[in-house]
């Protein structure tokens, strides 16, 4: 179906792959040989092309540079034992990017365009998909307004691009997080559910401050009361309490993570109890204190599962039980890795083979 899409291909004169240690890629440092670009103008997507990875030309008056009219996605491709390139749930990313686009007043990229571009790009750069355990090809689709206009209104022109690059593990060890009760990431009616640039720019200072204090990440709380935990910087937040999987419901302020959704499904498959409900900070703290909190972890594409060994709240460190004994999150990570690499069956048709 997507084979018929008209994408022009200009190949890189020389591949950079021999200069890259594919077994030990650093997150976000290296990009593959090619990128995909499509232009939007006159109400349609056109000039679909794959070109050598490189700089793009932008007017200093480009509206995105001034007003953050930009959205993105993040997903991964893995290599299976028999050499296939397997992408995890790309249709879900295509759909979420459309939802972000609607919120940001951008023309949604049609699913066929998203999938067709991805297929063609990964076919061309398939040798960039690493195979060492813990590695993957990170895929970054994004869309930006292109009008050279510094007035405030939706742009008439846009670009949709995809770049990719090999990555290793995001967090090598269990993380320490701080519950943020001063700054706010997202408020009701805002853009928290959209993967849009401004959310991340606004979250930088709180995150950097927390890092200076020795924490890897923040746990955001609700904007109004700071009494409920919401999510982490680039991960949804999950807990195991009394053998139940506990996570906050998504909505305006919490991004609908695909890893989150996948883990909820795996938990249900295993017959586990799952509760999606508002979670109070006091419940988290009390459950750690009384021992009913067994595990805490972040769920997101970059890290898949990032186990949390300590949660800080207003001057006090609360240590979770030793991570070595955690069976649930370890099992979710293991199962997801096996599905992603084709090592076990894929009962929910999550895998898209290139
Ligand atoms: C991308 C992201 C997540 C995780 O989503 P996945 O689809 O699982 O990668 C969670 N929270 C925020 C704010 C994000 O940007």
């Amino acid at each position: 179906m997507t084979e018929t899409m008209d994408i022009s291909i200009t190949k890189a004169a020389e591949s950079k792959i021999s200069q890259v240690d594919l077994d030990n890629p650093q997150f976000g440092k290296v990009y593959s040989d090619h990128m995909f670009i499509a232009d939007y103008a006159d109400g349609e997507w056109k000039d679909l092309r794959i070109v050598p990875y490189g700089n793009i030309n932008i007017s200093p008056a480009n509206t995105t540079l001034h007003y953050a009219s930009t959205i993105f996605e993040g997903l991964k491709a893995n290599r299976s034992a028999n050499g296939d390139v397997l992408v995890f749930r790309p249709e879900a990313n295509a759909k979420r990017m459309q939802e972000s686009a609607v919120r940001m007043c951008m023309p949604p990229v049609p699913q066929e365009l998203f999938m067709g571009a991805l297929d063609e790009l990964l076919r061309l750069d398939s040798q960039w998909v690493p195979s060492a355990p813990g590695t993957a090809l990170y895929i970054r689709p994004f869309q930006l307004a292109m009008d050279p206009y510094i007035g405030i209104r939706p742009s008439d022109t846009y670009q949709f691009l995809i770049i990719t690059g090999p990555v290793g593990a995001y967090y090598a060890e269990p993380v320490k997080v701080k519950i943020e009760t001063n700054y706010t990431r997202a408020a009701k009616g805002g853009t928290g559910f959209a993967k849009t640039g401004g959310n991340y720019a606004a979250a930088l200072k709180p995150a950097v401050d927390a890092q200076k204090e020795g924490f890897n990440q923040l746990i955001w709380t609700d904007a109004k009361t700071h009494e409920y935990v919401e999510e982490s910087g680039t991960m949804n937040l999950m807990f195991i309490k009394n053998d139940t999987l506990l996570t906050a419901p998504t909505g305006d302020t919490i991004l609908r993570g695909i890893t989150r959704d996948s883990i909820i499904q795996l938990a249900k498959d295993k017959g586990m109890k799952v509760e999606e409900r508002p979670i109070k900070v006091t419940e988290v703290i009390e459950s750690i204190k009384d021992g009913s909190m067994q595990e805490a972890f972040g769920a997101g594409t970059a890290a898949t599962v990032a186990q949390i060994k300590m949660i800080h709240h207003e001057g006090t460190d609360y240590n979770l039980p030793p991570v070595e004994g955690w069976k649930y999150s370890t099992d979710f990570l293991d199962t997801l890795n096996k599905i992603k690499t084709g090592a076990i069956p894929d009962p929910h048709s999550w895998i898209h083979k290139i």
Side-chain angles (χ1 to χ4, degrees), residues 171-201:
Y171 295 114
E173 337 190 305
V175 294
K176 296 188 225 169
V177 299
K178 173 190 161 185
I179 297 180
E180 178 62 61
T181 49
N182 177 33
Y183 292 109
T184 292
R185 188 191 90 92
K188 273 214 168 9
T191 56
F193 70 92
K195 258 181 136 66
T196 183
N199 288 344
Y200 304 84

Side-chain angles (χ1 to χ4, degrees), residues 96 185 195 200 231 233-236 255 257-259 299-301:
R96 188 171 64 193
R185 188 191 90 92
K195 258 181 136 66
Y200 304 84
E231 63 167 316
T234 55
M235 300 184 292
N236 292 109
L255 194 114
I258 295 161
T259 315
T301 293

